[in-house]
Amino acid sequence: MIDAKTPKEFFEKILPSRFKPEKATGIDVTVQISITGPNGGDWLVTIRNQKLEAKEGTHSSPTLELKIAESDYMDLINGKISGEKAFMTGKLKFKGNIGTALRLRETGFL
């Protein structure tokens, strides 16, 4: 597995190849991810009909909202810290249905 160097590289190059559509059956979700830091920004990830789309931007009423610092996000996506640990230690701020978030992990998204 190749480590992403920036969130943008992860969303555009790594996430599409890591995504497992067979695990996304029945998931219809819009995730707003706000990443703070020099290479951060606002990203929207939509999973619908077993397809994933990631793009820069914001959504007025996302299903899930994640807020995280860039360095912590890079640790999370590169497997150095689990989503649960990031959440429990306050590094990952989360709004939305925890069950949906756990399903997203199975799809390769988190």
Side-chain angles (χ1 to χ4, degrees):
M1 194 184 305
I2 304 164
D3 278 5
K5 304 282 184 272
T6 65
K8 183 177 176 75
E9 181 189 19
F10 175 74
F11 287 117
E12 292 180 354
K13 301 210 168 72
I14 296 173
L15 181 57
S17 63
R18 195 186 277 188
F19 180 63
K20 300 180 186 102
E22 70 280 2
K23 299 279 191 186
T25 306
I27 294 178
D28 184 346
V29 67
T30 302
V31 185
Q32 176 74 63
I33 305 171
S34 300
I35 301 169
T36 56
N39 295 303
D42 293 309
W43 292 85
L44 274 177
V45 177
T46 307
I47 299 176
R48 185 171 293 122
N49 300 324
Q50 294 178 274
K51 291 186 177 68
L52 177 137
E53 179 189 29
K55 63 184 181 188
E56 289 188 74
T58 56
H59 193 280
S60 56
S61 56
T63 319
L64 298 173
E65 288 180 69
L66 306 175
K67 289 188 169 124
I68 192 166
E70 180 189 348
S71 58
D72 295 326
Y73 188 70
M74 299 314 294
D75 285 348
L76 178 65
I77 59 175
N78 290 320
K80 296 182 174 75
I81 186 174
S82 69
E84 294 89 342
K85 184 159 186 196
F87 178 71
M88 296 301 207
T89 56
K91 293 178 176 183
L92 173 66
K93 305 277 188 270
F94 171 83
K95 249 191 240 170
N97 183 309
I98 193 84
T100 304
L102 292 171
R103 285 209 57 206
L104 290 182
R105 189 175 57 183
E106 296 168 15
T107 69
F109 171 55
L110 288 173

